[in-house]
């Protein structure tokens, strides 16, 4: 069989929507594209060294049926001189959306309710796409039916990869550890409840991080709980706040978490209004003393993507800087 090789200059052969693109080494780029006009999709393996590319269009055979609800593609680089992996997730649905549909008994209506998780060895993927004989179902790691869902954080420890599986029917969250040498599941850590998201501290511990606002009599309290999964340790901090004070970056948990493990919590009062900006008081609390260590006023609304959290002052290691743009 002659391998279909296409001229890179003939761009008319490319569909008009690009869904995913990953560079896997100095020679190859993988592109997953969809054609909205023809409701088709394909993989394009681009050989930058030889200026060629190879196109594979799924034919609903050899496991191709798994790709018809393609969600995203990622690349896991080689670990300990092993081959890297092409991570493919199917099922165009987010965990929180699937949980809501499950709770409302509407999940049966969703076509994309089936999710699959594929880890295709890099060198084998390249070879199989060139030969037009990929076998996606051979590298199926896990699947989620209507009662569960996946989440991926790209947590890698040596030859191990971690991902989470939410089981809505059991109200459990599983942190699953895979050996990248043989794609076998090594361990499964079960947490009570559906936990979004799992975070990781600087020591590599997986953490369940929660921020709650509580009312006690006439006082408001900010309660922050950091639960280390492997150590089974909980660190709880209660901070008294005023009635109009709000946790800053409440919708960006990773930024709140990063500040927290540095020993700080940020609040703003009143609640930031992006339509009619006011003068805001920003407070930085110490998680040790639970008291403000610094506060300042600003008339500018604080956008999440423009705030870079607390960093050490290069001129004074004892001080921290909050960068706002």
């Amino acid at each position: 069989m002659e391998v279909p090789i296409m001229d890179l200059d003939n761009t008319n052969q490319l569909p008009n929507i690009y869904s995913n693109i990953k560079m896997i080494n100095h020679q190859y780029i993988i592109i997953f594209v969809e054609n909205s006009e023809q409701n088709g999709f394909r993989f394009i393996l681009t050989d930058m060294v030889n200026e060629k590319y190879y196109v594979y269009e799924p034919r609903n055979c050899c496991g191709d049926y798994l790709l018809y609800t393609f969600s995203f593609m990622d690349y896991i680089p080689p670990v300990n001189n092993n081959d890297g992996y092409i991570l493919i997730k199917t099922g165009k649905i987010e965990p929180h959306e699937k949980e809501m549909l499950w709770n409302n008994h509407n999940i049966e209506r969703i076509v994309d309710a089936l999710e699959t998780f594929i880890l295709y060895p890099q060198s084998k993927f390249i070879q199989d796409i060139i030969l037009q004989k990929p076998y996606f179902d051979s590298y199926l790691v896990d699947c989620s039916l209507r009662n569960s869902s996946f989440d991926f954080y790209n947590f890698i420890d040596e030859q191990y990869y971690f991902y989470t599986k939410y089981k809505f029917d059991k109200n459990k969250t599983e942190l699953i550890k895979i050996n990248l040498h043989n794609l076998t599941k090594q361990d499964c850590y079960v947490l009570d409840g559906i936990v979004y998201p799992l975070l990781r501290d600087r020591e590599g511990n997986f953490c369940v991080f929660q921020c709650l606002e509580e009312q006690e009599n006439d006082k408001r309290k900010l309660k922050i709980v950091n639960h280390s999964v492997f150590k089974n340790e909980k660190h709880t901090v209660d901070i008294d706040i005023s009635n109009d004070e709000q946790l800053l970056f409440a919708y960006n948990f990773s930024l709140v978490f990063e500040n927290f493990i540095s020993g700080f919590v940020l609040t703003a009062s009143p609640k930031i209004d992006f339509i009619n900006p006011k003068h805001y008081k920003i407070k930085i609390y110490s998680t040790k003393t639970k008291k403000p260590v610094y506060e300042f006023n600003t008339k500018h609304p604080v956008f999440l993507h423009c705030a870079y959290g607390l960093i050490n002052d290069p001129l004074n290691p004892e001080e921290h800087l909050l960068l706002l743009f």
Side-chain angles (χ1 to χ4, degrees):
M1 180 186 69
E2 183 177 352
V3 176
I5 301 177
M6 308 181 88
D7 184 358
L8 283 176
D9 293 329
N10 190 353
T11 56
N12 291 330
Q13 300 180 75
L14 294 178
N16 59 3
I17 294 181
Y18 289 73
S19 295
N20 246 187
I21 179 169
K22 294 293 175 184
M23 184 172 185
I24 60 176
N25 56 31
H26 71 284
Q27 184 174 0
Y28 291 105
I29 291 177
I30 298 173
I31 309 171
F32 183 92
V33 291
E34 293 184 46
N35 189 333
S36 60
E37 298 174 357
Q38 301 177 7
N39 294 321
F41 57 93
R42 63 189 67 179
F43 280 102
I44 299 177
L45 177 67
T46 304
D47 183 341
M48 297 178 291
V49 174
N50 298 305
E51 295 188 342
K52 299 176 181 178
Y53 59 77
Y54 307 84
V55 177
Y56 178 76
E57 297 188 33
R59 298 187 296 271
N60 200 22
C61 64
C62 303
D64 286 3
Y65 64 90
L66 296 176
L67 304 178
Y68 278 82
T69 57
F70 178 90
S71 178
F72 70 86
M73 175 177 63
D74 209 342
Y75 176 59
I76 300 177
V79 178
N80 294 339
N81 298 320
N82 294 317
D83 203 4
Y85 288 93
I86 309 301
L87 187 157
I88 298 172
K89 190 263 182 184
T90 69
K92 297 179 181 180
I93 190 167
E94 294 293 326
H96 64 276
E97 295 174 330
K98 199 169 183 181
E99 181 189 13
M100 180 181 65
L101 291 167
W102 170 268
N103 291 336
N104 293 333
H105 307 289
N106 290 327
I107 193 66
E108 298 296 332
R109 305 178 183 177
I110 307 302
V111 176
D112 292 346
L114 173 64
E115 300 174 75
T116 63
F117 169 29
I118 298 166
L119 282 178
Y120 212 122
Q122 166 195 313
S123 57
K124 193 73 171 65
F125 181 88
I126 293 171
Q127 174 186 337
D128 290 350
I129 292 294
I130 291 176
L131 296 177
Q132 298 288 286
K133 292 183 177 180
Y135 296 90
F136 294 97
D137 53 351
S138 298
Y139 302 102
L140 179 65
V141 174
D142 204 345
C143 66
S144 280
L145 303 178
R146 299 181 189 278
N147 62 342
S148 62
S149 188
F150 293 128
D151 217 343
F152 304 93
Y153 306 110
N154 279 346
F155 292 146
I156 301 174
D157 275 344
E158 298 178 349
Q159 75 268 29
Y160 299 106
Y161 181 85
F162 293 86
Y163 70 99
T164 53
K165 189 171 186 177
Y166 306 108
K167 294 194 172 180
F168 307 128
D169 56 340
K170 297 181 180 179
N171 195 31
K172 302 288 185 183
T173 297
E174 295 180 349
L175 176 62
I176 301 173
K177 178 180 179 182
I178 294 180
N179 190 327
L180 292 175
H181 286 302
N182 49 26
L183 299 186
T184 59
K185 296 177 185 178
Q186 299 292 119
D187 293 292
C188 180
Y189 305 90
V190 181
L191 305 173
D192 290 329
I194 305 300
V195 181
Y196 305 120
L198 283 178
L199 299 171
R200 209 169 189 189
D201 64 20
R202 295 165 185 171
E203 297 176 353
N205 301 311
F206 289 93
C207 300
V208 178
F209 189 67
Q210 297 175 299
C211 300
L212 307 170
E213 291 184 6
E214 299 180 345
Q215 189 79 32
E216 292 187 0
N217 298 324
D218 58 343
K219 292 184 178 180
R220 287 181 64 242
K221 189 180 295 289
L222 186 63
K223 179 184 287 291
I224 300 179
V225 181
N226 188 35
H227 178 198
S228 178
V229 175
F230 295 157
K231 295 181 179 179
N232 197 24
E233 297 176 350
K234 285 188 178 180
H235 180 201
T236 302
V237 173
D238 291 327
I239 297 176
D240 292 326
I241 58 176
S242 60
N243 287 330
D244 66 344
E245 209 169 342
Q246 305 287 333
L247 180 69
L248 192 58
F249 314 129
Y251 298 104
N252 191 332
F253 260 46
S254 59
L255 192 55
V256 177
F257 178 70
E258 193 66 31
N259 289 335
F260 180 81
I261 62 177
S262 296
F264 301 97
V265 173
L266 281 68
T267 66
S269 58
K271 184 176 181 180
I272 290 178
D273 185 344
F274 294 101
I275 299 176
N276 300 301
K278 307 176 179 65
H279 280 79
Y280 303 103
K281 178 178 288 185
I282 307 296
K283 289 185 181 180
I284 302 177
Y285 288 86
S286 165
T287 57
K288 293 182 179 179
T289 64
K290 305 173 186 176
K291 301 293 183 182
V293 293
Y294 188 73
E295 59 183 71
F296 63 93
N297 293 318
T298 175
K299 63 180 180 179
H300 303 290
V302 180
F303 289 93
L304 299 184
H305 64 279
C306 296
Y308 289 85
L310 292 168
I311 63 172
N312 287 108
D313 184 344
L315 301 179
N316 186 352
E318 300 299 320
E319 291 184 351
H320 287 73
L321 303 175
L322 173 65
L323 301 186
L324 300 173
F325 294 92

